[in-house]
Amino acid sequence: MSTDLVKQLAVNCTLPSSNGDPVTVCRKFFLNTIGYRENCGNVIYRCIRAARDGPPVDRRGKYKRDKKAREAIREHLFGYGPSISHYRRAHAPNRLYLPSDLTEKSLHEDYEAKQNFKASYSLYCKVVKENNISFVKLGHEECEACTAAELRNKVNGHSEIKDCSCTDCSGHALHLQRAKESRMSYRDDGDKVLPGVAVFSVDLQKVIQLPRLDCFKSIIFSQRLLVFNESFAPVGAYTRAFPVSACIWSESVGGRTANEILSCFFKVIKKYADLKTIIFWLDNCSSQNKNWNLFQHIILLINSNEIQVERILFKYFESGHTFMAADSFHAAVESKMRHERVVSFENFKSVVGNAKNNVDVLDMQATDFFKAKLTVSQYTINQCKPRPYVDSMRKVVFEKAVTNLDTQTTSTAKTLNTASCFPRSNLSWL
C-alpha cells in the first residue's frame, strides 16, 4: 500500500474501557485484541476502504484459460496413444497410461517447441489430470484387502487379526486362508511331472509400446505401436518338460478383448492336443480368464474331435495374491528390452524368444483370431440350478463327453447341470 494512501487512511486505534470510554491503544495491541497478528495491519485499511468505496468485487473465475490452448494440449497428449492397462481395469477403467519414459515436464517442453498456443506448465499438468492420464510405471500390485486391513489395524491398535473378532477382521482372515490354500495347491501342482499332464500359469503382460529407444528424444515423443504378450509359463518341475508358450501380436492384427484371449487359449490347447490333462493357473480378471463365454467355448473345444485332451482345469488364485511363473517370465522380457533396442515387432519377437531358455513364440496371425459365435446371456445362466456366480469360483473343471460343469467356489464344490445352459446340440465344433 502506498505511503499517501496510508496517510489518507491514518486512524487512531481505540478500545472501550470497563466503563465504556474509548481508550487509545497501539496498532499491535488493537490487532491482538480482535484476534489478528501484529503483521495483519492491512485488514484495518481494507475495512476502511470497504466502508468508503463498498465491498471489493470478487473476480475469481473471471479469467478463464484459453480454450484453444486446452484443446491443443489434449491433442498433443493423445498423439502419443495413451492406453488402458488391464492391471487396473477393474478399479480405474477410465485411467490411461503413457510409457514410463515420458514425464509431464518433458511433454510440456515438447509441446512448447511444436505448438503455437503457448501454455504454462501448471495448465499442462491440469489438462493431464483432467484426462486421467498417468505416467506410473505398472508392475506387481499390492493386495487391496490386505492394505486396507493393515491400515484398519493401525487405527484400532491391533497388532494381529486374532485381536479382533469383528466382521472385517474375520473376512480378512478368511481371505488370507484362501490365499494360503491356493498358493499351496499351486506348488503341489508343480512339484512333480505326471505323465500326460501339463500345468501352466497364464497372464497377459502389461501393454508394451514400440519402439523402445529411450536414448532418442524424437522416438520418445512419437506415437507408438501397441504389442501384446499372452504367456503360458510352465509351473515348477514342468519347466523341464514344457517350454514357455508366448502368444504375441500387435494392434495391427487384433486387440486385447475376450476374443483374442480365447483364441490364445485355443492355440495353446491345440498345441498340446495329445495330452490327457491340462491345468491352467489364472488370476481373477473377468474380461480375460473368468467369464461364461470362455467356459462355453472350452466346453465346445474339449468335446470336439480336434483334440484328445480329456480334462481341462482352470484354477484361480485369491485376488491380490496372484504372483505366478508367467509374471517371472514377463519380468525377464522387460529386463531384456531394457538392454536391447526394440524398434519393430520382429525385434520384440526376438526379445521374447530370448528372454529365457526354452521359449516357444507363437506369432498370432489374423487367421488365428476368431469372433465368438455363441454368447451366454443372464437368462441362460439363471436356468442353471443352483444359480452359479463366477466371482466366487476358485476352480472350474471341463471333461470330455460330460455336459456338467464342475466348479469349486469359495465355500463348497458344485456341479452345474450345463445341459440347460448349453444345449447338447451345441456341443459340436462350429
Side-chain angles (χ1 to χ4, degrees):
M1 185 176 294
S2 65
T3 305
D4 294 339
L5 183 59
V6 171
K7 290 181 179 179
Q8 294 176 12
L9 300 178
V11 294
N12 293 325
C13 297
T14 61
L15 290 172
S17 63
S18 57
N19 56 6
D21 297 330
V23 178
T24 302
V25 296
C26 67
R27 184 174 66 94
K28 178 179 178 181
F29 185 84
F30 178 81
L31 290 171
N32 289 338
T33 303
I34 63 175
Y36 288 94
R37 295 180 180 177
E38 58 180 291
N39 57 352
C40 296
N42 282 341
V43 69
I44 301 175
Y45 303 115
R46 286 200 298 269
C47 291
I48 295 175
R49 177 182 289 177
R52 186 190 64 184
D53 304 330
V57 178
D58 186 2
R59 305 197 64 82
R60 291 177 295 181
K62 300 297 183 182
Y63 301 100
K64 293 185 178 180
R65 298 287 187 181
D66 190 349
K67 291 184 178 180
K68 292 184 178 180
R70 284 178 174 270
E71 293 175 358
I73 293 173
R74 191 177 186 279
E75 182 180 354
H76 181 257
L77 283 171
F78 281 86
Y80 302 124
S83 60
I84 191 173
S85 169
H86 74 276
Y87 280 115
R88 293 184 169 95
R89 182 176 294 173
H91 309 292
N94 299 320
R95 173 69 72 175
L96 299 175
Y97 294 90
L98 283 171
S100 57
D101 52 359
L102 296 175
T103 63
E104 291 176 332
K105 183 178 180 180
S106 62
L107 284 175
H108 179 253
E109 292 175 353
D110 182 66
Y111 171 84
E112 288 286 322
K114 295 180 179 178
Q115 300 294 331
N116 296 324
F117 298 102
K118 300 301 181 181
S120 65
Y121 177 67
S122 60
L123 176 60
Y124 195 94
C125 294
K126 185 179 292 186
V127 176
V128 170
K129 185 177 180 180
E130 290 173 353
N131 288 276
N132 288 328
I133 296 177
S134 176
F135 302 86
V136 176
K137 184 176 181 180
L138 302 178
H140 182 61
E141 295 182 345
E142 295 183 358
C143 175
E144 293 184 7
C146 293
T147 302
E150 181 181 352
L151 296 175
R152 185 171 60 249
N153 290 338
K154 287 183 178 179
V155 173
N156 298 333
H158 298 160
S159 59
E160 296 182 6
I161 297 177
K162 63 183 180 180
D163 293 341
C164 180
S165 59
C166 67
T167 304
D168 292 334
C169 291
S170 300
H172 184 239
L174 181 60
H175 166 76
L176 293 178
Q177 179 64 26
R178 290 199 297 260
K180 181 179 179 181
E181 291 174 356
S182 62
R183 183 60 57 181
M184 291 177 61
S185 178
Y186 173 77
R187 292 174 179 172
D188 291 341
D189 286 343
D191 276 347
K192 58 181 179 179
V193 177
L194 299 176
V197 178
V199 182
F200 298 99
S201 64
V202 187
D203 197 14
L204 178 67
Q205 188 173 0
K206 73 175 185 179
V207 176
I208 299 170
Q209 298 181 331
L210 300 181
R212 289 279 288 267
L213 295 172
D214 301 347
C215 54
F216 298 111
K217 187 175 181 180
S218 60
I219 296 297
I220 295 177
F221 300 107
S222 63
Q223 191 170 2
R224 315 290 182 95
L225 174 70
L226 301 182
V227 294
F228 310 96
N229 174 21
E230 175 81 355
S231 301
F232 295 76
V235 177
Y238 287 90
T239 55
R240 297 190 293 268
F242 299 95
V244 176
S245 297
C247 300
I248 63 172
W249 69 97
S250 69
E251 63 179 340
S252 62
V253 177
R256 49 177 169 178
T257 65
N259 290 330
E260 281 79 15
I261 302 302
L262 176 59
S263 301
C264 293
F265 273 99
F266 273 37
K267 184 88 170 180
V268 173
I269 292 174
K270 290 180 180 179
K271 177 183 176 182
Y272 299 106
D274 56 341
L275 294 176
K276 292 183 178 180
T277 302
I278 302 179
I279 301 174
F280 295 109
W281 276 96
L282 312 159
D283 60 22
N284 290 272
C285 182
S286 59
S287 61
Q288 298 174 18
N289 309 319
K290 210 175 186 183
N291 57 77
W292 286 110
N293 288 337
L294 173 63
F295 294 165
Q296 173 163 335
H297 282 80
I298 295 298
I299 291 177
L300 296 176
L301 178 61
I302 199 173
N303 283 279
S304 70
N305 296 326
E306 296 195 14
I307 64 173
Q308 304 302 316
V309 180
E310 299 177 356
R311 204 162 181 255
I312 298 176
L313 289 82
F314 283 4
K315 296 186 177 182
Y316 299 95
F317 289 100
E318 181 70 10
S319 297
H321 301 265
T322 61
F323 185 78
M324 58 184 106
D327 294 318
S328 177
F329 175 68
H330 293 165
V333 173
E334 285 289 338
S335 177
K336 193 76 173 177
M337 292 185 68
R338 284 194 294 268
H339 296 87
E340 294 191 17
R341 294 183 176 181
V342 186
V343 179
S344 63
F345 182 76
E346 290 299 321
N347 296 144
F348 175 70
K349 181 178 178 180
S350 175
V351 166
V352 173
N354 297 322
K356 280 188 175 182
N357 295 328
N358 200 16
V359 178
D360 186 9
V361 179
L362 305 179
D363 188 354
M364 302 291 289
Q365 303 297 321
T367 54
D368 293 322
F369 295 114
F370 65 91
K371 184 177 181 180
K373 296 182 179 180
L374 300 176
T375 58
V376 182
S377 65
Q378 287 298 320
Y379 172 80
T380 303
I381 298 302
N382 290 334
Q383 305 309 307
C384 295
K385 304 300 180 182
R387 167 62 160 92
Y389 293 94
V390 172
D391 290 344
S392 61
M393 291 182 182
R394 300 179 63 192
K395 182 173 70 173
V396 182
V397 182
F398 309 89
E399 294 185 346
K400 185 179 286 293
V402 176
T403 58
N404 291 335
L405 187 66
D406 293 332
T407 65
Q408 178 182 338
T409 65
T410 54
S411 56
T412 59
K414 295 182 180 180
T415 299
L416 304 180
N417 184 9
T418 55
S420 58
C421 299
F422 316 129
R424 194 174 185 81
S425 60
N426 286 340
L427 294 181
S428 59
W429 181 243
L430 300 180

